[in-house]
Amino acid sequence: MSQAIHSHFGLRQLADQVQKKEISVESLVTERLEKARQSEDVFISINHDIVDKAQAIDKLINQAIQSAKPLSPLSGLPITLKDLFDVRGEITLAGSTVLKNIAKAAAQDCDVIAPLRNSGLLFLGRTNMSEFAFSGMGLNPHYGNPQSIWERETGRLPGGSSSGSAVSVAEGIVAATMGSDTAGSCRIPAAFNGIVGVKPSYGRYSLNNVYPLSPTSDAPGPLAVDLDSCFILDQVITGAYSGAGALPEPQLLDSNNLSLLVPESVVLEDLDDQVKASFESALGWLEDSGVEIKYRPMPVIDRCVDMFFKRPIVGYEAWQHHQSLIQEYEDEYDPFVSQRLKNSRKVTEQEQQSRYQEKTELSLDFNRVIEQQQADGLIYPTVACVPPTIAEAMVPENTTKINLRCLRNTAAVNYFNGCSMSLPCNLPGDAPVGLMVSLSHNQDDYLYQVAATVEKILNDRRGV
């Protein structure tokens, strides 16, 4: 049996290798476990007993081959989980030390994780994150700061809040992972690490027993080496794929019939030179492939960004959840996070209700624009900047400014309740830059087709 395991392979390729017995589950898991142990600040906890589980699955695979009743093709493939999903027998800390005072081991998997376990996937560990998912940078004073895969010698932000999840993929520890996205927390770290990150429509995945930040905005989402792997996890979680038979794959569209809309708005302003250059090159590649690129003013995007900056939905809900904890354990919080929470303590319920109404109106306005323009998706840079240095971000005078700059472009989608996917668009070796494709609420299935078509064009031109 060959033991050639490629760190850049997605779930489909790894499953194929296992099913063809080119590699064993034990060899795959052992290699990835060793990478996890050697990683720095990526994990909050590692499941070291995963090798025993891998050995057991190898035996089941052999038995299934002999009985001609194959197991799920995902059986034995390792993934990681952001530290806010309840997993049976494990403690959820949400990147904090505060919850060590009160948290108990979960009695069962949360609704998002249970179908992943039932599909045969193995959970390698719980990944580091911005404390309580309340930052777009990915810093954590309790468990260390994971670093972007780019310019390790410099030390750059991994993006947050799903920082460890993204880095676990970028380092080749796993092919896919689960994060969450309330204002960009899957897509920012995906962009900063050259991988794919998905923000599903709100409500596509259950939030039961997922540690909350904003119950009206939180969206668990997959990150992976490719969109195909994200799609596979999505289909498992939603129940569209039961785990039996061939793995599903997103349908590609005819690029000559594809129309994408670039909003002439604040999301194109104040871009780093590398971001602007990579994005413009990507637009050229898409046009060369027959995709129609339309540039239109979109005031609704500016209004979404303005609301995120000045009248955020998240703050009030987060403060309601954390108020009593801060009163008792404030000295155990990340000071940056606790201050952000306290910034919303004077927001009244009446004011919050007016914000909910404004968000509803923004969503309706966005839907009208997309319909009027007959666009298959909205497209613009995921983040305005390449990953800033960790040293720069830790200077108190810079922290808030950098955090908001990281979040600016992604947050707009959450304020029109859309679905969104970040795809790498930079050339290999260049600074990581994400290109974001977005659509209206509950258009996830079609967006996967649009994004898969865009990804193929980009990857063909990027040579990856």
Side-chain angles (χ1 to χ4, degrees):
M1 178 183 294
S2 169
Q3 299 297 314
I5 306 171
H6 296 280
S7 62
H8 65 280
F9 273 6
L11 292 176
R12 187 180 306 276
Q13 291 79 15
L14 290 176
D16 188 58
Q17 282 193 307
V18 170
Q19 296 302 310
K20 291 179 178 177
K21 297 188 71 64
E22 294 174 357
I23 60 172
S24 66
V25 173
E26 181 183 0
S27 64
L28 170 63
V29 166
T30 299
E31 183 214 49
R32 301 307 173 88
L33 179 60
E34 183 57 30
K35 286 187 175 184
R37 288 169 172 162
Q38 293 176 2
S39 67
E40 295 184 9
D41 305 322
V42 174
F43 290 88
I44 287 177
S45 63
I46 296 175
N47 297 329
H48 297 282
D49 65 347
I50 192 173
V51 175
D52 294 336
K53 295 178 180 178
Q55 292 171 341
I57 289 177
D58 276 327
K59 292 180 181 178
L60 290 175
I61 290 175
N62 290 331
Q63 293 171 3
I65 291 174
Q66 294 172 5
S67 64
K69 294 181 179 180
L71 297 179
S72 162
L74 297 175
S75 294
L77 304 188
I79 64 170
T80 54
L81 306 173
K82 187 176 183 178
D83 185 38
L84 44 62
F85 297 106
D86 273 6
V87 177
R88 185 178 67 223
E90 298 181 7
I91 296 175
T92 301
L93 297 176
S96 77
T97 56
V98 172
L99 296 186
K100 289 182 177 180
N101 298 297
I102 59 174
K104 297 180 180 179
Q108 59 187 17
D109 295 333
C110 67
D111 292 353
V112 172
I113 300 307
L116 299 178
R117 185 193 295 275
N118 292 339
S119 75
L121 291 165
L122 296 180
F123 306 143
L124 193 150
R126 308 180 70 91
T127 51
N128 199 354
M129 56 182 282
S130 304
E131 185 186 62
F132 295 119
F134 207 19
S135 165
M137 298 179 293
L139 301 176
N140 188 304
H142 313 300
Y143 301 101
N145 302 318
Q147 294 186 26
S148 165
I149 199 69
W150 180 56
E151 287 193 351
R152 280 285 170 85
E153 68 281 2
T154 302
R156 293 183 175 273
L157 291 178
S161 62
S162 307
S163 53
S165 287
V167 176
S168 72
V169 173
E171 288 190 0
I173 298 171
V174 289
T177 184
M178 284 299 297
S180 69
D181 192 310
T182 305
S185 290
C186 282
R187 291 162 291 154
I188 298 167
F192 279 1
N193 287 281
I195 64 171
V196 176
V198 176
K199 183 261 178 216
S201 293
Y202 174 77
R204 185 171 178 86
Y205 302 160
S206 168
L207 293 176
N208 289 339
N209 297 315
V210 178
Y211 197 86
L213 175 61
S214 172
T216 65
S217 299
D218 293 344
L223 304 91
V225 296
D226 54 21
L227 190 70
D228 182 57
S229 296
C230 291
F231 180 73
I232 290 170
L233 293 187
D234 172 84
Q235 296 295 283
V236 171
I237 294 169
T238 60
Y241 176 66
S242 65
L247 292 171
E249 54 186 311
Q251 178 184 348
L252 293 177
L253 303 174
D254 181 355
S255 59
N256 291 294
N257 294 328
L258 203 60
S259 178
L260 299 174
L261 182 61
V262 178
E264 295 175 322
S265 70
V266 67
V267 294
L268 298 182
E269 298 175 1
D270 189 31
L271 302 179
D272 280 2
D273 291 342
Q274 301 99 312
V275 172
K276 184 178 180 180
S278 292
F279 179 65
E280 290 179 348
S281 293
L283 293 180
W285 299 336
L286 292 170
E287 287 186 306
D288 290 345
S289 299
V291 178
E292 179 187 25
I293 302 294
K294 299 189 289 189
Y295 299 80
R296 298 288 189 276
M298 286 194 68
V300 65
I301 298 297
D302 292 328
R303 289 163 52 206
C304 287
V305 174
D306 182 71
M307 186 178 180
F308 168 69
F309 282 154
K310 300 177 182 177
R311 300 173 302 286
I313 291 287
V314 175
Y316 174 87
E317 296 179 354
W319 174 249
Q320 297 305 308
H321 180 83
H322 284 274
Q323 184 175 1
S324 60
L325 284 172
I326 283 185
Q327 289 175 349
E328 188 167 0
Y329 302 111
E330 182 172 2
D331 60 339
E332 295 184 38
Y333 273 74
D334 176 350
F336 177 71
V337 170
S338 64
Q339 185 57 55
R340 288 197 76 198
L341 290 165
K342 290 189 293 184
N343 286 344
S344 295
R345 62 187 182 274
K346 294 183 180 179
V347 177
T348 65
E349 183 177 355
Q350 182 179 8
E351 167 62 20
Q352 185 70 4
Q353 290 302 321
S354 72
R355 295 180 183 186
Y356 290 144
Q357 180 60 37
E358 182 178 1
K359 182 179 178 182
T360 298
E361 293 169 358
L362 289 172
S363 181
L364 292 173
D365 285 350
F366 176 80
N367 294 345
R368 280 193 289 267
V369 171
I370 288 293
E371 185 175 353
Q372 290 169 357
Q373 296 294 334
Q374 297 183 328
D376 294 294
L378 195 67
I379 186 171
Y380 57 87
T382 309
V383 189
C385 57
V386 299
T389 67
I390 293 175
E392 178 186 10
M394 293 184 71
V395 175
E397 306 88 76
N398 299 335
T399 307
T400 295
K401 180 180 178 181
I402 290 175
N403 185 51
L404 292 178
R405 192 174 184 217
C406 289
L407 289 160
R408 185 194 71 184
N409 283 15
T410 53
V413 178
N414 300 73
Y415 277 77
F416 59 74
N417 266 340
C419 48
S420 185
M421 305 177 184
S422 178
L423 310 171
C425 67
N426 56 283
L427 290 172
D430 288 351
V433 174
L435 177 149
M436 190 162 56
V437 190
S438 308
L439 258 178
S440 305
H441 186 248
N442 285 340
Q443 295 297 307
D444 302 66
D445 292 335
Y446 185 63
L447 182 60
Y448 266 109
Q449 297 178 37
V450 175
T453 306
V454 171
E455 179 191 50
K456 184 179 188 308
I457 294 170
L458 297 183
N459 286 352
D460 286 347
R461 295 300 294 267
R462 295 168 64 224
V464 299

